[in-house]
Amino acid sequence: MRGPNGRVTYFTGAFPSYSGKTSTAMLGRLIGDDLAFLRNVNGEVRAVNPEIGVFGIIEGINPIDDPLIYEVLTKPNEIIFSNVLITEDGEIYWNGMGKPEPEKGINYTGKWWRGGKTDEKGNPIPPSHPNARFTVSLKAFKNLDPAYDDPSGVVVGGIIFGGRDPDTLVPVFESFNWEHGVVTIAASLESERTAAVIGKPGEREFNPMANLDFLSVDLGVYITNYLKFGEGLTRPPKIFGVNYFLRDEQGRFLNSKEDKRVWLQWMERRVHNELNAITTPIGYIPRYEDLKVLFREVLNRDYRLEDYTKQFAIRATKLLEKIDRIWKIYSEIPTTPRRFFEVLEEQRQRLLDARSKYGDVIPPQRFE
């Protein structure tokens, strides 16, 4: 990410499928969108991308919300598309691309026509599958960072973990330290199921570090390795949590897709200790005054105090329920380190104390 005066700060992170990973990777100078190999080099974390391409879900990519990806996918190029619609004119079409639906074409079901093709339950079949994807070379992107293939890697300033969470976590927050971030953010990651994940859409799925399906070691050992890795760092990256999918009681999103640009700029400044933050039971959250300035600078629009108060309220009961779910999972894994439960219990006590003082849903101003 570019910060003040042209400063460049590198981030990496992990998101389950369809949780904003690729769109986040496109917000600044692109190194990659899928894998990062991290190594301790003289006390700081350096990362390289071992891949040469981008592989992502295509549904919803449009010229307004995802201009860089959309440009790449709609100009002459070498691209692999899967589960999209091919129109009678030989054009590619996917759901949510910002164009009217074609009349006819061929998709994953065979011949398709608008308004008439239905599944076995009689439901209309959309032009493309919700899990339709694209694959394209990194070199197709005009925002590719010069260091994308530097074997010495780049210094990581922050690690971001995010999932689809409709009712619990705030849009962006920072852990107190490496240990706290590993336990309460990374290892406690949950996300609503989508069409990209096997299972019933809408259910909350446990997915530590967004990596559960790819683990080659026992989960307790994996968490222990994460904690030990931090012990050897003299300049550990800050760990952040993000949630782009918070909703109100009516099911409406409390953030726009573009808001993540502001969250990234706040994180960039926090990496360099340039902004103060509010200390809450779950970590540090932004101050309204800082976000108000960033919304004007980054998106050229006003940011209302009313929106801030809704978005950054600490939902104590929901957060305590999450701790109960995470505790139960790890209590059944014999190799989970004792320190994991100690950090989780410390967070539980902070939340219980806050709820006893301020109630269930706590406005962020209570912690200033």
Side-chain angles (χ1 to χ4, degrees), residues 307-341:
D307 293 333
Y308 169 79
T309 302
K310 285 182 180 178
Q311 293 164 0
F312 287 92
I314 300 301
R315 296 158 176 83
T317 297
K318 291 287 186 182
L319 288 161
L320 287 164
E321 290 171 354
K322 176 182 173 73
I323 288 177
D324 289 341
R325 292 192 299 270
I326 300 303
W327 190 288
K328 183 177 186 301
I329 291 170
Y330 282 100
S331 66
E332 296 172 358
I333 302 173
T335 53
T336 303
R338 179 187 300 177
R339 185 58 185 149
F340 179 92
F341 295 107

PDB file of all heavy atoms in Angstrom, residues 307-341:
ATOM      1  N   ASP A 307     -22.694   6.074  11.288  1.00  0.00           N
ATOM      2  CA  ASP A 307     -22.203   4.848  10.651  1.00  0.00           C
ATOM      3  C   ASP A 307     -21.049   4.245  11.432  1.00  0.00           C
ATOM      4  O   ASP A 307     -20.975   3.028  11.629  1.00  0.00           O
ATOM      5  CB  ASP A 307     -21.761   5.150   9.212  1.00  0.00           C
ATOM      6  CG  ASP A 307     -22.924   5.542   8.323  1.00  0.00           C
ATOM      7  OD1 ASP A 307     -24.063   5.109   8.608  1.00  0.00           O
ATOM      8  OD2 ASP A 307     -22.701   6.294   7.357  1.00  0.00           O
ATOM      9  N   TYR A 308     -20.133   5.091  11.870  1.00  0.00           N
ATOM     10  CA  TYR A 308     -18.996   4.624  12.663  1.00  0.00           C
ATOM     11  C   TYR A 308     -19.468   3.902  13.922  1.00  0.00           C
ATOM     12  O   TYR A 308     -18.966   2.822  14.258  1.00  0.00           O
ATOM     13  CB  TYR A 308     -18.120   5.813  13.033  1.00  0.00           C
ATOM     14  CG  TYR A 308     -17.055   5.517  14.075  1.00  0.00           C
ATOM     15  CD1 TYR A 308     -15.877   4.869  13.730  1.00  0.00           C
ATOM     16  CD2 TYR A 308     -17.230   5.903  15.410  1.00  0.00           C
ATOM     17  CE1 TYR A 308     -14.901   4.597  14.687  1.00  0.00           C
ATOM     18  CE2 TYR A 308     -16.264   5.643  16.368  1.00  0.00           C
ATOM     19  CZ  TYR A 308     -15.102   4.986  16.004  1.00  0.00           C
ATOM     20  OH  TYR A 308     -14.144   4.721  16.945  1.00  0.00           O
ATOM     21  N   THR A 309     -20.441   4.482  14.612  1.00  0.00           N
ATOM     22  CA  THR A 309     -20.922   3.904  15.865  1.00  0.00           C
ATOM     23  C   THR A 309     -21.532   2.531  15.645  1.00  0.00           C
ATOM     24  O   THR A 309     -21.321   1.601  16.443  1.00  0.00           O
ATOM     25  CB  THR A 309     -21.945   4.842  16.519  1.00  0.00           C
ATOM     26  OG1 THR A 309     -21.330   6.121  16.752  1.00  0.00           O
ATOM     27  CG2 THR A 309     -22.439   4.293  17.842  1.00  0.00           C
ATOM     28  N   LYS A 310     -22.269   2.348  14.550  1.00  0.00           N
ATOM     29  CA  LYS A 310     -22.856   1.040  14.240  1.00  0.00           C
ATOM     30  C   LYS A 310     -21.778   0.026  13.860  1.00  0.00           C
ATOM     31  O   LYS A 310     -21.775  -1.108  14.321  1.00  0.00           O
ATOM     32  CB  LYS A 310     -23.853   1.169  13.079  1.00  0.00           C
ATOM     33  CG  LYS A 310     -25.182   1.811  13.439  1.00  0.00           C
ATOM     34  CD  LYS A 310     -26.088   1.827  12.216  1.00  0.00           C
ATOM     35  CE  LYS A 310     -27.429   2.467  12.529  1.00  0.00           C
ATOM     36  NZ  LYS A 310     -28.296   2.516  11.309  1.00  0.00           N
ATOM     37  N   GLN A 311     -20.853   0.453  13.014  1.00  0.00           N
ATOM     38  CA  GLN A 311     -19.857  -0.466  12.486  1.00  0.00           C
ATOM     39  C   GLN A 311     -18.870  -0.934  13.549  1.00  0.00           C
ATOM     40  O   GLN A 311     -18.469  -2.104  13.564  1.00  0.00           O
ATOM     41  CB  GLN A 311     -19.093   0.204  11.338  1.00  0.00           C
ATOM     42  CG  GLN A 311     -19.933   0.480  10.112  1.00  0.00           C
ATOM     43  CD  GLN A 311     -19.275   1.467   9.166  1.00  0.00           C
ATOM     44  OE1 GLN A 311     -18.176   1.967   9.422  1.00  0.00           O
ATOM     45  NE2 GLN A 311     -19.944   1.778   8.073  1.00  0.00           N
ATOM     46  N   PHE A 312     -18.473  -0.029  14.429  1.00  0.00           N
ATOM     47  CA  PHE A 312     -17.401  -0.347  15.370  1.00  0.00           C
ATOM     48  C   PHE A 312     -17.898  -0.602  16.793  1.00  0.00           C
ATOM     49  O   PHE A 312     -17.108  -0.594  17.735  1.00  0.00           O
ATOM     50  CB  PHE A 312     -16.338   0.746  15.335  1.00  0.00           C
ATOM     51  CG  PHE A 312     -15.514   0.709  14.080  1.00  0.00           C
ATOM     52  CD1 PHE A 312     -15.879   1.454  12.971  1.00  0.00           C
ATOM     53  CD2 PHE A 312     -14.405  -0.114  13.992  1.00  0.00           C
ATOM     54  CE1 PHE A 312     -15.144   1.404  11.800  1.00  0.00           C
ATOM     55  CE2 PHE A 312     -13.656  -0.172  12.825  1.00  0.00           C
ATOM     56  CZ  PHE A 312     -14.028   0.585  11.722  1.00  0.00           C
ATOM     57  N   ALA A 313     -19.200  -0.851  16.938  1.00  0.00           N
ATOM     58  CA  ALA A 313     -19.712  -1.280  18.236  1.00  0.00           C
ATOM     59  C   ALA A 313     -19.127  -2.641  18.593  1.00  0.00           C
ATOM     60  O   ALA A 313     -18.943  -3.505  17.730  1.00  0.00           O
ATOM     61  CB  ALA A 313     -21.239  -1.351  18.195  1.00  0.00           C
ATOM     62  N   ILE A 314     -18.816  -2.828  19.867  1.00  0.00           N
ATOM     63  CA  ILE A 314     -18.313  -4.119  20.347  1.00  0.00           C
ATOM     64  C   ILE A 314     -19.519  -4.954  20.779  1.00  0.00           C
ATOM     65  O   ILE A 314     -20.190  -4.630  21.759  1.00  0.00           O
ATOM     66  CB  ILE A 314     -17.328  -3.927  21.518  1.00  0.00           C
ATOM     67  CG1 ILE A 314     -16.133  -3.088  21.060  1.00  0.00           C
ATOM     68  CG2 ILE A 314     -16.864  -5.281  22.053  1.00  0.00           C
ATOM     69  CD1 ILE A 314     -15.340  -3.678  19.909  1.00  0.00           C
ATOM     70  N   ARG A 315     -19.797  -6.004  20.029  1.00  0.00           N
ATOM     71  CA  ARG A 315     -20.966  -6.847  20.276  1.00  0.00           C
ATOM     72  C   ARG A 315     -20.546  -7.964  21.237  1.00  0.00           C
ATOM     73  O   ARG A 315     -20.175  -9.072  20.815  1.00  0.00           O
ATOM     74  CB  ARG A 315     -21.493  -7.382  18.941  1.00  0.00           C
ATOM     75  CG  ARG A 315     -22.004  -6.250  18.042  1.00  0.00           C
ATOM     76  CD  ARG A 315     -22.041  -6.631  16.565  1.00  0.00           C
ATOM     77  NE  ARG A 315     -22.614  -5.562  15.765  1.00  0.00           N
ATOM     78  CZ  ARG A 315     -21.938  -4.499  15.311  1.00  0.00           C
ATOM     79  NH1 ARG A 315     -20.651  -4.357  15.598  1.00  0.00           N
ATOM     80  NH2 ARG A 315     -22.541  -3.574  14.590  1.00  0.00           N
ATOM     81  N   ALA A 316     -20.607  -7.648  22.521  1.00  0.00           N
ATOM     82  CA  ALA A 316     -19.978  -8.486  23.546  1.00  0.00           C
ATOM     83  C   ALA A 316     -20.524  -9.909  23.570  1.00  0.00           C
ATOM     84  O   ALA A 316     -19.751 -10.875  23.610  1.00  0.00           O
ATOM     85  CB  ALA A 316     -20.145  -7.830  24.915  1.00  0.00           C
ATOM     86  N   THR A 317     -21.844 -10.056  23.561  1.00  0.00           N
ATOM     87  CA  THR A 317     -22.413 -11.404  23.646  1.00  0.00           C
ATOM     88  C   THR A 317     -22.036 -12.243  22.431  1.00  0.00           C
ATOM     89  O   THR A 317     -21.678 -13.421  22.553  1.00  0.00           O
ATOM     90  CB  THR A 317     -23.935 -11.326  23.785  1.00  0.00           C
ATOM     91  OG1 THR A 317     -24.261 -10.649  25.009  1.00  0.00           O
ATOM     92  CG2 THR A 317     -24.558 -12.712  23.810  1.00  0.00           C
ATOM     93  N   LYS A 318     -22.113 -11.655  21.248  1.00  0.00           N
ATOM     94  CA  LYS A 318     -21.718 -12.373  20.027  1.00  0.00           C
ATOM     95  C   LYS A 318     -20.246 -12.787  20.091  1.00  0.00           C
ATOM     96  O   LYS A 318     -19.875 -13.894  19.681  1.00  0.00           O
ATOM     97  CB  LYS A 318     -21.956 -11.491  18.801  1.00  0.00           C
ATOM     98  CG  LYS A 318     -23.417 -11.244  18.475  1.00  0.00           C
ATOM     99  CD  LYS A 318     -24.060 -12.483  17.883  1.00  0.00           C
ATOM    100  CE  LYS A 318     -25.467 -12.203  17.410  1.00  0.00           C
ATOM    101  NZ  LYS A 318     -26.130 -13.428  16.876  1.00  0.00           N
ATOM    102  N   LEU A 319     -19.400 -11.898  20.600  1.00  0.00           N
ATOM    103  CA  LEU A 319     -17.973 -12.199  20.703  1.00  0.00           C
ATOM    104  C   LEU A 319     -17.705 -13.293  21.734  1.00  0.00           C
ATOM    105  O   LEU A 319     -16.831 -14.143  21.540  1.00  0.00           O
ATOM    106  CB  LEU A 319     -17.202 -10.927  21.054  1.00  0.00           C
ATOM    107  CG  LEU A 319     -17.098  -9.911  19.917  1.00  0.00           C
ATOM    108  CD1 LEU A 319     -16.758  -8.527  20.458  1.00  0.00           C
ATOM    109  CD2 LEU A 319     -16.053 -10.348  18.891  1.00  0.00           C
ATOM    110  N   LEU A 320     -18.464 -13.287  22.812  1.00  0.00           N
ATOM    111  CA  LEU A 320     -18.323 -14.342  23.818  1.00  0.00           C
ATOM    112  C   LEU A 320     -18.796 -15.687  23.279  1.00  0.00           C
ATOM    113  O   LEU A 320     -18.203 -16.729  23.566  1.00  0.00           O
ATOM    114  CB  LEU A 320     -19.108 -13.960  25.083  1.00  0.00           C
ATOM    115  CG  LEU A 320     -18.472 -12.854  25.928  1.00  0.00           C
ATOM    116  CD1 LEU A 320     -19.482 -12.280  26.913  1.00  0.00           C
ATOM    117  CD2 LEU A 320     -17.247 -13.384  26.669  1.00  0.00           C
ATOM    118  N   GLU A 321     -19.858 -15.670  22.473  1.00  0.00           N
ATOM    119  CA  GLU A 321     -20.327 -16.902  21.838  1.00  0.00           C
ATOM    120  C   GLU A 321     -19.262 -17.458  20.900  1.00  0.00           C
ATOM    121  O   GLU A 321     -19.065 -18.677  20.813  1.00  0.00           O
ATOM    122  CB  GLU A 321     -21.629 -16.642  21.077  1.00  0.00           C
ATOM    123  CG  GLU A 321     -22.821 -16.366  21.988  1.00  0.00           C
ATOM    124  CD  GLU A 321     -24.047 -15.897  21.219  1.00  0.00           C
ATOM    125  OE1 GLU A 321     -23.931 -15.674  19.974  1.00  0.00           O
ATOM    126  OE2 GLU A 321     -25.111 -15.739  21.832  1.00  0.00           O
ATOM    127  N   LYS A 322     -18.579 -16.558  20.204  1.00  0.00           N
ATOM    128  CA  LYS A 322     -17.497 -16.987  19.312  1.00  0.00           C
ATOM    129  C   LYS A 322     -16.383 -17.653  20.106  1.00  0.00           C
ATOM    130  O   LYS A 322     -15.859 -18.703  19.699  1.00  0.00           O
ATOM    131  CB  LYS A 322     -16.962 -15.776  18.538  1.00  0.00           C
ATOM    132  CG  LYS A 322     -15.760 -16.062  17.637  1.00  0.00           C
ATOM    133  CD  LYS A 322     -15.274 -14.793  16.962  1.00  0.00           C
ATOM    134  CE  LYS A 322     -13.983 -15.024  16.195  1.00  0.00           C
ATOM    135  NZ  LYS A 322     -14.182 -15.787  14.957  1.00  0.00           N
ATOM    136  N   ILE A 323     -16.010 -17.060  21.239  1.00  0.00           N
ATOM    137  CA  ILE A 323     -14.968 -17.660  22.074  1.00  0.00           C
ATOM    138  C   ILE A 323     -15.376 -19.062  22.518  1.00  0.00           C
ATOM    139  O   ILE A 323     -14.565 -19.996  22.512  1.00  0.00           O
ATOM    140  CB  ILE A 323     -14.660 -16.759  23.282  1.00  0.00           C
ATOM    141  CG1 ILE A 323     -13.906 -15.510  22.836  1.00  0.00           C
ATOM    142  CG2 ILE A 323     -13.864 -17.525  24.348  1.00  0.00           C
ATOM    143  CD1 ILE A 323     -13.623 -14.524  23.931  1.00  0.00           C
ATOM    144  N   ASP A 324     -16.647 -19.230  22.887  1.00  0.00           N
ATOM    145  CA  ASP A 324     -17.121 -20.557  23.295  1.00  0.00           C
ATOM    146  C   ASP A 324     -16.966 -21.574  22.167  1.00  0.00           C
ATOM    147  O   ASP A 324     -16.548 -22.725  22.406  1.00  0.00           O
ATOM    148  CB  ASP A 324     -18.589 -20.486  23.723  1.00  0.00           C
ATOM    149  CG  ASP A 324     -18.787 -19.757  25.050  1.00  0.00           C
ATOM    150  OD1 ASP A 324     -17.800 -19.630  25.797  1.00  0.00           O
ATOM    151  OD2 ASP A 324     -19.918 -19.319  25.324  1.00  0.00           O
ATOM    152  N   ARG A 325     -17.308 -21.160  20.945  1.00  0.00           N
ATOM    153  CA  ARG A 325     -17.183 -22.075  19.807  1.00  0.00           C
ATOM    154  C   ARG A 325     -15.726 -22.457  19.569  1.00  0.00           C
ATOM    155  O   ARG A 325     -15.388 -23.636  19.367  1.00  0.00           O
ATOM    156  CB  ARG A 325     -17.753 -21.424  18.533  1.00  0.00           C
ATOM    157  CG  ARG A 325     -19.255 -21.221  18.541  1.00  0.00           C
ATOM    158  CD  ARG A 325     -19.760 -20.846  17.160  1.00  0.00           C
ATOM    159  NE  ARG A 325     -19.207 -19.595  16.642  1.00  0.00           N
ATOM    160  CZ  ARG A 325     -19.742 -18.392  16.822  1.00  0.00           C
ATOM    161  NH1 ARG A 325     -20.850 -18.280  17.547  1.00  0.00           N
ATOM    162  NH2 ARG A 325     -19.192 -17.317  16.295  1.00  0.00           N
ATOM    163  N   ILE A 326     -14.840 -21.453  19.611  1.00  0.00           N
ATOM    164  CA  ILE A 326     -13.420 -21.701  19.356  1.00  0.00           C
ATOM    165  C   ILE A 326     -12.816 -22.550  20.463  1.00  0.00           C
ATOM    166  O   ILE A 326     -12.027 -23.476  20.209  1.00  0.00           O
ATOM    167  CB  ILE A 326     -12.670 -20.359  19.212  1.00  0.00           C
ATOM    168  CG1 ILE A 326     -13.239 -19.547  18.041  1.00  0.00           C
ATOM    169  CG2 ILE A 326     -11.179 -20.587  19.048  1.00  0.00           C
ATOM    170  CD1 ILE A 326     -13.198 -20.256  16.704  1.00  0.00           C
ATOM    171  N   TRP A 327     -13.172 -22.252  21.705  1.00  0.00           N
ATOM    172  CA  TRP A 327     -12.653 -23.007  22.846  1.00  0.00           C
ATOM    173  C   TRP A 327     -13.004 -24.486  22.716  1.00  0.00           C
ATOM    174  O   TRP A 327     -12.160 -25.370  22.937  1.00  0.00           O
ATOM    175  CB  TRP A 327     -13.227 -22.438  24.146  1.00  0.00           C
ATOM    176  CG  TRP A 327     -12.578 -22.984  25.384  1.00  0.00           C
ATOM    177  CD1 TRP A 327     -12.714 -24.240  25.904  1.00  0.00           C
ATOM    178  CD2 TRP A 327     -11.672 -22.286  26.255  1.00  0.00           C
ATOM    179  NE1 TRP A 327     -11.970 -24.382  27.044  1.00  0.00           N
ATOM    180  CE2 TRP A 327     -11.314 -23.187  27.291  1.00  0.00           C
ATOM    181  CE3 TRP A 327     -11.151 -21.012  26.280  1.00  0.00           C
ATOM    182  CZ2 TRP A 327     -10.450 -22.833  28.319  1.00  0.00           C
ATOM    183  CZ3 TRP A 327     -10.286 -20.655  27.307  1.00  0.00           C
ATOM    184  CH2 TRP A 327      -9.947 -21.555  28.311  1.00  0.00           C
ATOM    185  N   LYS A 328     -14.256 -24.756  22.353  1.00  0.00           N
ATOM    186  CA  LYS A 328     -14.702 -26.150  22.233  1.00  0.00           C
ATOM    187  C   LYS A 328     -13.897 -26.898  21.173  1.00  0.00           C
ATOM    188  O   LYS A 328     -13.483 -28.046  21.383  1.00  0.00           O
ATOM    189  CB  LYS A 328     -16.192 -26.190  21.872  1.00  0.00           C
ATOM    190  CG  LYS A 328     -16.770 -27.592  21.786  1.00  0.00           C
ATOM    191  CD  LYS A 328     -18.264 -27.563  21.505  1.00  0.00           C
ATOM    192  CE  LYS A 328     -18.854 -28.968  21.562  1.00  0.00           C
ATOM    193  NZ  LYS A 328     -18.242 -29.905  20.586  1.00  0.00           N
ATOM    194  N   ILE A 329     -13.654 -26.253  20.053  1.00  0.00           N
ATOM    195  CA  ILE A 329     -12.900 -26.909  18.968  1.00  0.00           C
ATOM    196  C   ILE A 329     -11.487 -27.257  19.420  1.00  0.00           C
ATOM    197  O   ILE A 329     -11.028 -28.397  19.277  1.00  0.00           O
ATOM    198  CB  ILE A 329     -12.852 -26.001  17.731  1.00  0.00           C
ATOM    199  CG1 ILE A 329     -14.258 -25.891  17.105  1.00  0.00           C
ATOM    200  CG2 ILE A 329     -11.845 -26.519  16.708  1.00  0.00           C
ATOM    201  CD1 ILE A 329     -14.364 -24.835  16.034  1.00  0.00           C
ATOM    202  N   TYR A 330     -10.803 -26.289  20.000  1.00  0.00           N
ATOM    203  CA  TYR A 330      -9.406 -26.520  20.362  1.00  0.00           C
ATOM    204  C   TYR A 330      -9.258 -27.396  21.605  1.00  0.00           C
ATOM    205  O   TYR A 330      -8.215 -28.040  21.784  1.00  0.00           O
ATOM    206  CB  TYR A 330      -8.684 -25.186  20.558  1.00  0.00           C
ATOM    207  CG  TYR A 330      -8.306 -24.533  19.247  1.00  0.00           C
ATOM    208  CD1 TYR A 330      -9.070 -23.499  18.716  1.00  0.00           C
ATOM    209  CD2 TYR A 330      -7.197 -24.956  18.516  1.00  0.00           C
ATOM    210  CE1 TYR A 330      -8.740 -22.891  17.508  1.00  0.00           C
ATOM    211  CE2 TYR A 330      -6.850 -24.361  17.309  1.00  0.00           C
ATOM    212  CZ  TYR A 330      -7.629 -23.336  16.814  1.00  0.00           C
ATOM    213  OH  TYR A 330      -7.297 -22.757  15.616  1.00  0.00           O
ATOM    214  N   SER A 331     -10.291 -27.420  22.457  1.00  0.00           N
ATOM    215  CA  SER A 331     -10.204 -28.284  23.642  1.00  0.00           C
ATOM    216  C   SER A 331     -10.207 -29.758  23.258  1.00  0.00           C
ATOM    217  O   SER A 331      -9.806 -30.608  24.049  1.00  0.00           O
ATOM    218  CB  SER A 331     -11.369 -27.989  24.595  1.00  0.00           C
ATOM    219  OG  SER A 331     -12.608 -28.351  24.004  1.00  0.00           O
ATOM    220  N   GLU A 332     -10.665 -30.066  22.053  1.00  0.00           N
ATOM    221  CA  GLU A 332     -10.691 -31.446  21.573  1.00  0.00           C
ATOM    222  C   GLU A 332      -9.433 -31.806  20.790  1.00  0.00           C
ATOM    223  O   GLU A 332      -9.327 -32.908  20.246  1.00  0.00           O
ATOM    224  CB  GLU A 332     -11.940 -31.650  20.705  1.00  0.00           C
ATOM    225  CG  GLU A 332     -13.244 -31.474  21.488  1.00  0.00           C
ATOM    226  CD  GLU A 332     -14.478 -31.483  20.609  1.00  0.00           C
ATOM    227  OE1 GLU A 332     -14.326 -31.592  19.359  1.00  0.00           O
ATOM    228  OE2 GLU A 332     -15.596 -31.373  21.156  1.00  0.00           O
ATOM    229  N   ILE A 333      -8.466 -30.862  20.729  1.00  0.00           N
ATOM    230  CA  ILE A 333      -7.197 -31.113  20.050  1.00  0.00           C
ATOM    231  C   ILE A 333      -6.106 -31.183  21.121  1.00  0.00           C
ATOM    232  O   ILE A 333      -5.713 -30.155  21.685  1.00  0.00           O
ATOM    233  CB  ILE A 333      -6.891 -29.991  19.038  1.00  0.00           C
ATOM    234  CG1 ILE A 333      -8.028 -29.892  18.003  1.00  0.00           C
ATOM    235  CG2 ILE A 333      -5.549 -30.224  18.344  1.00  0.00           C
ATOM    236  CD1 ILE A 333      -7.903 -28.701  17.072  1.00  0.00           C
ATOM    237  N   PRO A 334      -5.617 -32.365  21.451  1.00  0.00           N
ATOM    238  CA  PRO A 334      -4.686 -32.522  22.582  1.00  0.00           C
ATOM    239  C   PRO A 334      -3.405 -31.708  22.459  1.00  0.00           C
ATOM    240  O   PRO A 334      -2.785 -31.374  23.481  1.00  0.00           O
ATOM    241  CB  PRO A 334      -4.379 -34.030  22.573  1.00  0.00           C
ATOM    242  CG  PRO A 334      -5.521 -34.657  21.831  1.00  0.00           C
ATOM    243  CD  PRO A 334      -5.948 -33.654  20.815  1.00  0.00           C
ATOM    244  N   THR A 335      -2.985 -31.399  21.233  1.00  0.00           N
ATOM    245  CA  THR A 335      -1.709 -30.708  21.040  1.00  0.00           C
ATOM    246  C   THR A 335      -1.827 -29.188  21.113  1.00  0.00           C
ATOM    247  O   THR A 335      -0.818 -28.487  20.962  1.00  0.00           O
ATOM    248  CB  THR A 335      -1.117 -31.083  19.673  1.00  0.00           C
ATOM    249  OG1 THR A 335      -2.110 -30.849  18.662  1.00  0.00           O
ATOM    250  CG2 THR A 335      -0.686 -32.541  19.644  1.00  0.00           C
ATOM    251  N   THR A 336      -3.024 -28.668  21.352  1.00  0.00           N
ATOM    252  CA  THR A 336      -3.174 -27.213  21.454  1.00  0.00           C
ATOM    253  C   THR A 336      -2.349 -26.692  22.626  1.00  0.00           C
ATOM    254  O   THR A 336      -2.479 -27.193  23.754  1.00  0.00           O
ATOM    255  CB  THR A 336      -4.647 -26.824  21.672  1.00  0.00           C
ATOM    256  OG1 THR A 336      -5.436 -27.352  20.591  1.00  0.00           O
ATOM    257  CG2 THR A 336      -4.804 -25.306  21.718  1.00  0.00           C
ATOM    258  N   PRO A 337      -1.486 -25.710  22.405  1.00  0.00           N
ATOM    259  CA  PRO A 337      -0.634 -25.220  23.495  1.00  0.00           C
ATOM    260  C   PRO A 337      -1.451 -24.541  24.596  1.00  0.00           C
ATOM    261  O   PRO A 337      -2.476 -23.906  24.319  1.00  0.00           O
ATOM    262  CB  PRO A 337       0.300 -24.223  22.800  1.00  0.00           C
ATOM    263  CG  PRO A 337      -0.413 -23.809  21.561  1.00  0.00           C
ATOM    264  CD  PRO A 337      -1.208 -24.996  21.133  1.00  0.00           C
ATOM    265  N   ARG A 338      -0.983 -24.647  25.835  1.00  0.00           N
ATOM    266  CA  ARG A 338      -1.680 -24.049  26.971  1.00  0.00           C
ATOM    267  C   ARG A 338      -1.840 -22.543  26.803  1.00  0.00           C
ATOM    268  O   ARG A 338      -2.865 -21.980  27.174  1.00  0.00           O
ATOM    269  CB  ARG A 338      -0.920 -24.347  28.264  1.00  0.00           C
ATOM    270  CG  ARG A 338      -1.567 -23.722  29.505  1.00  0.00           C
ATOM    271  CD  ARG A 338      -0.705 -23.902  30.741  1.00  0.00           C
ATOM    272  NE  ARG A 338      -0.486 -25.313  31.030  1.00  0.00           N
ATOM    273  CZ  ARG A 338       0.288 -25.750  32.025  1.00  0.00           C
ATOM    274  NH1 ARG A 338       0.924 -24.873  32.796  1.00  0.00           N
ATOM    275  NH2 ARG A 338       0.443 -27.037  32.238  1.00  0.00           N
ATOM    276  N   ARG A 339      -0.822 -21.911  26.219  1.00  0.00           N
ATOM    277  CA  ARG A 339      -0.872 -20.455  26.071  1.00  0.00           C
ATOM    278  C   ARG A 339      -2.055 -20.024  25.211  1.00  0.00           C
ATOM    279  O   ARG A 339      -2.587 -18.932  25.407  1.00  0.00           O
ATOM    280  CB  ARG A 339       0.442 -19.950  25.461  1.00  0.00           C
ATOM    281  CG  ARG A 339       0.549 -18.440  25.383  1.00  0.00           C
ATOM    282  CD  ARG A 339       0.418 -17.794  26.737  1.00  0.00           C
ATOM    283  NE  ARG A 339       0.404 -16.345  26.674  1.00  0.00           N
ATOM    284  CZ  ARG A 339      -0.242 -15.546  27.518  1.00  0.00           C
ATOM    285  NH1 ARG A 339      -0.937 -16.074  28.523  1.00  0.00           N
ATOM    286  NH2 ARG A 339      -0.197 -14.243  27.390  1.00  0.00           N
ATOM    287  N   PHE A 340      -2.463 -20.862  24.279  1.00  0.00           N
ATOM    288  CA  PHE A 340      -3.617 -20.546  23.446  1.00  0.00           C
ATOM    289  C   PHE A 340      -4.844 -20.292  24.325  1.00  0.00           C
ATOM    290  O   PHE A 340      -5.551 -19.282  24.168  1.00  0.00           O
ATOM    291  CB  PHE A 340      -3.893 -21.697  22.470  1.00  0.00           C
ATOM    292  CG  PHE A 340      -5.085 -21.477  21.588  1.00  0.00           C
ATOM    293  CD1 PHE A 340      -4.957 -20.890  20.342  1.00  0.00           C
ATOM    294  CD2 PHE A 340      -6.361 -21.851  22.008  1.00  0.00           C
ATOM    295  CE1 PHE A 340      -6.059 -20.673  19.535  1.00  0.00           C
ATOM    296  CE2 PHE A 340      -7.473 -21.642  21.220  1.00  0.00           C
ATOM    297  CZ  PHE A 340      -7.316 -21.053  19.971  1.00  0.00           C
ATOM    298  N   PHE A 341      -5.113 -21.181  25.254  1.00  0.00           N
ATOM    299  CA  PHE A 341      -6.295 -21.049  26.115  1.00  0.00           C
ATOM    300  C   PHE A 341      -6.143 -19.870  27.078  1.00  0.00           C
ATOM    301  O   PHE A 341      -7.128 -19.216  27.427  1.00  0.00           O
ATOM    302  CB  PHE A 341      -6.540 -22.350  26.880  1.00  0.00           C
ATOM    303  CG  PHE A 341      -6.882 -23.503  25.986  1.00  0.00           C
ATOM    304  CD1 PHE A 341      -5.964 -24.512  25.763  1.00  0.00           C
ATOM    305  CD2 PHE A 341      -8.107 -23.578  25.347  1.00  0.00           C
ATOM    306  CE1 PHE A 341      -6.264 -25.589  24.932  1.00  0.00           C
ATOM    307  CE2 PHE A 341      -8.419 -24.640  24.511  1.00  0.00           C
ATOM    308  CZ  PHE A 341      -7.495 -25.645  24.299  1.00  0.00           C
TER     309      PHE A 341
END
